[in-house]
Amino acid sequence: MIGDPLSIRPERDTVVAELRGEIDLSNAKTIAGEIGSAVPNDAAGVVLDLADVTYLDSSGVHLIFDLNERLHGRQQRLVLTLPEGSRISRVLELVNVEAVVPIERTVDASIDRVHAEP
Amino acid sequence: MPEQRATGGPLGASAGGDDAILSRLRKLESITEAALANLRLDELLDVLLTRLRSVLEVDTAAVLLLDEQTSELVARAAKGIEEEVEQGVRVPLGAGFAGRVAAESRPIFLADVQPTDVVNPILIDKGIRSLLGVPLLVESRTIGVLHVGTLTLRTFRHDEAELLQAAADRIALAIDHARLYDAERQARAVAERRAEQVHDLQSITDVALSHLAMDDTLLVSMLDRVCGLLDADTAAILLLDSEGDVLVVRAAKGIEEEVERGLRIPLGGGFAGRIAGERRPVVLEDVDHAEVMNPILHDKGIRSLLGVPLLVEGEPIGVMHVGSLSPRSFTEEQVSLMELAADRIATAIDRARQHNVAEQLQRALLPSGLPEIPGLNMAASYHPAADDADVGGDWYDVLQLGSGLVGVAMGDVVSRGLRAAAFMGELRTALRAYAIEGDRPARVLTRLDRLVRGMREREMATVAYAILDSRTRELTYCLAGHPPPLVIPVEGEPRFLRAPASAPIGAVAAPRYEDCDAKLDARDTLLMYTDGLVEHRDRTLEEGMAALAEEALARGEEPEELVSRLMGRLGRSADDVAALAVRLSGVDPERVELRLPAVPGSLSPMRAALGEWLAAAGAPDDDAYDVLIAAGEAAANAVEHAYGPVDAEFEVEGRVTDGSVVLAVRDSGRWREPRGQHRGRGLLLMRELMDDVRIDRDEQGTAVEMRRALVRGEAT
């Protein structure tokens, strides 16, 4: 596998977690843990940038839902960034992620969404 | 008899300074110079005589040449009234006018020709009145006569006589040239014929030398050639046995029974025995039956024999003889040709014998076969040096290192011969030992170098060692002064695996060896070779490598085919050549079977392999992606649920049936019912992405079988 599948940066009071490559059973748990511990209490929320993810299965879906639940308990928001035509959108549709977690096309739009009124 | 002698004095009226005459002379000379340079003798005589006739205003001009064997002058060319006379009129030396000119080697002028003066009746018949003749001289030797004549009484002036003599000198020179040329041409023809014969002979022994195995077919074909060269009916080669005292017939033509009967002739006895004993050619023009021990020669009716010894460094190793069914003699040339043939054949036989020992050792030290490794197809080949009695210690090796890792080694010992072969054996064993410990290539080569530099008799070798992961297709390699391996893809240009410059094993103190990495694609071929494949006398290493890359250009060949073609095309080298090709197996579009450790790390390689198979099976991208996710989910289940033995495995089997992909994922664990809110998503995805999902569980394990029509909606 090429490089680290995760990089995290703060942007406008938000933690932007950028995922890359394949997310499956072999790395989903580790990634979830790393993101969870990287979110300060005062952050408005987390943007999960999935633009460069080429594969994501139920482990990845589990990661999203799990993260969402944990953030929800802390009054923090999770927003996904997923450009049009992404390969993984089919899986996210099938498990109806959008009913629970909002999806935006760009990181900027996702951060805006984090700050938006509920 | 009215006669004027030309020697020393004026011939008739002198008109030395006459400009017209001088210019005519120049004209004549310029023609002769040109003629000498460009014309054949006949053309030259034709031009000269025609020109002389008009310049000197005479009615006949003729050249007669001396036939030294008969002492006669023979008419060679004529213009004017003698023209119609057939060539070949003969005049005895000393007789008649021309005969006198030749015999006395001086110009003679007959102002009024009398019948008694001439032998050639045509001159009288035609009414020749005056004649002037000059000798054709080559280095003061008379080779013929040039004469001119008139039908009216005529006096030739001094300058005209000089002109004639000048023309005669030119003609003599031209004739001498032509004769020299002819002689030279004949000599050359003989030399060429000889060279051709030798070449014929050489071509057959070259074949022998390149084969390095003196089989009977080869010997017989050489005898065929020898018979052809010497126009003989039978031929045989007898070799001294290991004791060196008995000749045994090894090959024969026309007298094949000799071989069948395994005829043995003691040294010194009979025809063949005498040749070997005396180490010189023997000719029997009329076979004296008492001299020939071999009854077969009698039975066959052989009348004449020529035999020569087969010598190596002056010592006889055997005898070769040819025979004729009719009595004949053998010329000196034929005897020496036979000796030449024997010399080459003896060399070939000797070289083959010497080579055999080292080559047998070399071959014994090379792997007798390559291991069968799933997912890899391999072939290797070794050719000993084509025209060197010494083998070069090239070697290769393939090692199974476990977990799908394969070690591939190629090496070339710098020295030659038996010692090189033995050193190669040591290196090969040492490399195996280090490699099997699991060392990375650079570490293996470093240890090999230390070992070699610790040896009492220092040798050097170039080595390439690579570890190929047959599952991930990742390659780690290291070169010690060895030419770079070549990666040949199914499509596109082959590429050399570059590495930092490095010293051969055993060459320098503390060499630096570094590992390099490369990623291969499915169906790529990795080619390792020794420099004999790329180094040739007539081109640079770069050119040799370019030629190799070009020759290896994608043809989708299997290793065996590739190696044999490359060795055939490029391996004709003075050096040993070894080549080893390892091809990553392609994908069978009909089916795929994978067996992987039940660990999360297996999921990604499983999907990669399955993805390749789906592409090969012709599944559209989107369909393939859906199938990959479903397979990934099933496999993830198998991994999560694996229990029992530490190294549990799971299997994925895929095939295409009736336009559908059918996938089976099996494990030896127990299917667990999904629990909790999130646990059912894997199964949900499988059911959504595939047309049909079945789960079978029993005590042995769980099998998930899924089906998906390719291009949904079309397969019903």
Side-chain angles (χ1 to χ4, degrees):
Chain A
M1 236 162 278
I2 306 151
D4 196 331
L6 173 68
S7 62
I8 295 171
R9 66 176 191 273
E11 203 171 330
R12 290 196 275 146
D13 287 333
T14 305
V15 172
V16 177
E18 198 182 323
L19 299 190
R20 277 179 298 270
E22 303 180 322
I23 310 299
D24 66 11
L25 194 62
S26 68
N27 56 10
K29 264 195 189 129
T30 318
I31 291 169
E34 276 183 45
I35 297 172
S37 61
V39 181
N41 284 333
D42 57 353
V46 174
V47 167
L48 206 54
D49 181 0
L50 304 174
D52 289 327
V53 174
T54 55
Y55 177 87
L56 184 139
D57 62 13
S58 62
S59 321
V61 172
H62 182 76
L63 180 157
I64 294 167
F65 282 129
D66 199 42
L67 186 61
N68 189 54
E69 272 177 35
R70 279 156 62 190
L71 291 173
H72 191 73
R74 287 155 60 170
Q75 310 298 311
Q76 289 170 322
R77 267 187 168 179
L78 175 66
V79 178
L80 305 183
T81 305
L82 194 69
E84 208 159 355
S86 165
R87 295 218 84 164
I88 63 168
S89 50
R90 181 159 165 74
V91 166
L92 298 183
E93 276 166 35
L94 286 173
V95 295
N96 205 10
V97 164
E98 204 160 8
V100 186
V101 184
I103 299 178
E104 293 293 341
R105 297 293 179 218
T106 65
V107 172
D108 266 346
S110 303
I111 298 173
D112 289 346
R113 188 71 178 264
V114 168
H115 292 292
E117 289 299 314
Chain B
M1 203 178 291
E3 173 177 325
Q4 292 184 350
R5 288 169 196 277
T7 19
L11 241 174
S14 176
D18 191 330
D19 284 350
I21 294 287
L22 267 179
S23 95
R24 289 191 296 181
L25 181 64
R26 277 193 210 104
K27 211 167 166 188
L28 183 69
E29 291 210 318
S30 70
I31 284 169
T32 58
E33 290 298 346
L36 271 176
N38 296 310
L39 298 179
R40 290 191 303 115
L41 183 60
D42 286 332
E43 294 166 334
L44 172 82
L45 292 174
D46 188 70
V47 168
L48 265 178
L49 294 178
T50 304
R51 187 56 56 133
L52 275 173
R53 258 195 78 204
S54 68
V55 170
L56 294 174
E57 292 156 349
V58 293
D59 301 302
T60 185
V63 168
L64 298 94
L65 298 182
L66 182 64
D67 178 340
E68 284 180 353
Q69 298 207 315
T70 60
S71 293
E72 285 174 323
L73 287 166
V74 183
R76 179 68 172 78
K79 286 288 165 193
I81 59 170
E82 287 173 275
E83 204 170 323
E84 66 266 33
V85 180
E86 277 181 56
Q87 270 199 19
V89 168
R90 289 177 169 265
V91 177
L93 199 64
F97 171 70
R100 276 182 57 208
V101 175
E104 295 170 27
S105 286
R106 61 181 184 87
I108 295 176
F109 172 55
L110 295 184
D112 189 4
V113 175
Q114 300 302 310
T116 49
D117 291 333
V118 288
V119 172
N120 187 353
I122 188 117
L123 294 174
I124 305 303
D125 292 352
K126 293 278 179 179
I128 286 287
R129 298 299 302 278
S130 301
L131 275 171
L132 172 62
V134 294
L136 300 177
L137 297 167
V138 171
E139 290 166 359
S140 70
R141 183 169 52 86
T142 303
I143 63 160
V145 171
L146 167 64
H147 72 232
V148 293
T150 55
L151 295 172
T152 51
L153 285 175
R154 162 82 182 263
T155 302
F156 290 95
R157 293 192 313 271
H158 183 73
D159 60 299
E160 288 176 321
E162 280 187 343
L163 180 64
L164 191 67
Q165 187 62 60
D169 290 345
R170 291 296 179 209
I171 290 170
L173 192 59
I175 287 170
D176 193 41
H177 273 215
R179 283 179 170 169
L180 276 176
Y181 176 73
D182 271 359
E184 186 187 76
R185 204 174 50 191
Q186 273 180 19
R188 197 162 60 215
V190 169
E192 276 169 4
R193 193 163 50 85
R194 177 80 192 264
E196 221 166 82
Q197 290 173 328
V198 171
H199 180 263
D200 275 1
L201 200 63
Q202 202 150 326
S203 65
I204 186 79
T205 49
D206 280 349
V207 170
L209 289 173
S210 68
H211 271 70
L212 290 162
M214 274 304 187
D215 62 21
D216 296 345
T217 327
L218 211 55
L219 287 174
V220 169
S221 76
M222 280 196 272
L223 289 179
D224 263 339
R225 192 62 66 102
V226 169
C227 277
L229 276 176
L230 294 158
D231 198 21
D233 301 309
T234 68
I237 288 175
L238 299 87
L239 296 180
L240 279 174
D241 69 357
S242 51
E243 305 293 313
D245 51 9
V246 174
L247 284 164
V248 182
V249 179
R250 177 64 204 279
K253 179 185 176 310
I255 41 175
E256 287 79 2
E257 301 90 331
E258 283 206 351
V259 184
E260 282 163 32
R261 291 198 204 163
L263 207 71
R264 299 170 68 82
I265 295 163
L267 200 63
F271 170 65
R274 206 179 109 201
I275 294 163
E278 297 176 12
R279 298 172 197 185
R280 59 174 189 83
V282 172
V283 175
L284 299 180
E285 287 189 5
D286 186 11
V287 171
D288 173 355
H289 291 178
E291 274 191 90
V292 178
M293 287 177 76
N294 181 353
I296 298 166
L297 297 180
H298 296 214
D299 299 349
K300 281 279 166 181
I302 289 172
R303 301 296 304 277
S304 301
L305 279 168
L306 162 63
V308 294
L310 295 170
L311 299 172
V312 171
E313 287 167 5
E315 290 300 315
I317 62 161
V319 167
M320 175 166 73
H321 64 70
V322 292
S324 163
L325 298 175
S326 51
R328 63 170 285 183
S329 57
F330 293 93
T331 64
E332 215 169 283
E333 193 193 337
Q334 284 170 324
V335 173
S336 69
L337 198 59
M338 181 80 169
E339 283 185 298
L340 196 64
D343 184 49
R344 292 194 61 90
I345 289 171
T347 305
I349 291 172
D350 182 55
R351 194 164 289 184
R353 284 174 170 174
Q354 280 187 31
H355 193 95
N356 276 345
V357 180
E359 197 197 329
Q360 274 170 23
L361 175 61
Q362 170 95 13
R363 289 204 185 276
L365 292 170
L366 285 174
S368 52
L370 298 175
E372 293 270 335
I373 298 172
L376 298 182
N377 187 3
M378 292 181 272
S381 178
Y382 164 75
H383 282 346
D387 52 6
D388 188 338
D390 294 333
V391 293
D394 284 11
W395 97 95
Y396 56 84
D397 214 344
V398 177
L399 306 128
Q400 283 182 284
L401 304 173
S403 311
L405 297 180
V406 181
V408 189
M410 176 67 68
D412 183 358
V413 171
V414 171
S415 61
R416 297 281 174 262
L418 274 172
R419 241 180 70 175
F423 176 57
M424 178 275 265
E426 287 183 88
L427 272 188
R428 183 179 165 224
T429 308
L431 189 142
R432 284 188 85 95
Y434 299 143
I436 281 164
E437 284 182 27
D439 283 349
R440 311 258 296 161
R443 172 99 182 116
V444 168
L445 297 190
T446 303
R447 292 177 77 181
L448 209 54
D449 176 73
R450 268 184 222 147
L451 175 87
V452 169
R453 281 188 298 113
M455 288 178 178
R456 192 173 302 148
E457 291 198 34
R458 179 87 67 83
E459 293 269 358
M460 285 194 283
T462 69
V463 182
Y465 178 55
I467 298 174
L468 175 64
D469 186 329
S470 62
R471 295 179 187 173
T472 65
R473 301 195 300 264
E474 281 162 348
L475 184 78
T476 306
Y477 61 97
C478 182
L479 308 180
H482 200 85
L486 185 67
V487 174
I488 306 154
V490 177
E491 281 171 5
E493 300 280 325
R495 63 180 200 278
F496 286 101
L497 294 177
R498 296 295 172 181
S502 56
I505 298 292
V508 299
R512 279 180 59 85
Y513 295 127
E514 288 172 44
D515 283 320
C516 300
D517 295 307
K519 178 87 163 76
L520 305 187
D521 288 320
R523 290 185 293 163
D524 272 3
T525 301
L526 173 71
L527 179 77
M528 289 172 119
Y529 53 91
T530 54
D531 58 7
L533 201 63
V534 289
E535 272 188 1
H536 290 252
R537 237 166 282 152
D538 51 354
R539 63 177 180 225
T540 64
L541 184 64
E542 282 71 26
E543 287 168 343
M545 283 170 61
L548 172 61
E550 194 176 319
E551 197 59 56
L553 197 65
R555 299 192 189 193
E557 286 168 315
E558 287 303 324
E560 191 152 354
E561 207 181 332
L562 176 76
V563 165
S564 104
R565 197 170 54 79
L566 291 181
M567 295 292 269
R569 291 287 187 84
L570 304 169
R572 297 273 162 264
S573 157
D575 200 356
D576 285 26
V577 190
L580 168 67
V582 179
R583 188 180 187 185
L584 292 156
S585 75
V587 181
D588 177 359
E590 297 301 316
R591 64 187 303 117
V592 65
E593 279 181 53
L594 303 166
R595 195 175 179 87
L596 297 154
V599 295
S602 293
L603 296 175
S604 182
M606 185 277 291
R607 291 194 301 269
L610 206 56
E612 253 171 39
W613 172 70
L614 286 165
D621 267 5
D622 286 346
D623 289 9
Y625 193 73
D626 289 355
V627 172
L628 278 190
I629 295 168
E633 293 294 350
N637 260 319
V639 169
E640 278 194 295
H641 304 154
Y643 75 103
V646 180
D647 41 2
E649 290 185 323
F650 72 96
E651 283 176 6
V652 180
E653 190 191 320
R655 58 183 194 278
V656 176
T657 316
D658 302 331
S660 292
V661 174
V662 179
L663 270 188
V665 180
R666 296 185 202 92
D667 65 36
S668 48
R670 217 174 255 179
W671 177 266
R672 291 194 202 156
E673 283 303 329
R675 269 170 284 152
Q677 198 186 342
H678 304 303
R679 292 289 179 189
R681 280 195 205 101
L683 187 58
L684 179 139
L685 284 176
M686 284 189 265
R687 293 207 193 280
E688 288 290 338
L689 294 167
M690 303 298 278
D691 298 332
D692 181 42
V693 178
R694 265 190 13 232
I695 299 165
D696 294 311
R697 301 148 253 194
D698 58 25
E699 292 304 311
Q700 268 71 52
T702 303
V704 179
E705 201 161 302
M706 304 182 279
R707 176 186 291 269
R708 160 80 186 253
L710 295 176
V711 189
R712 268 186 163 169
E714 272 184 35
T716 45

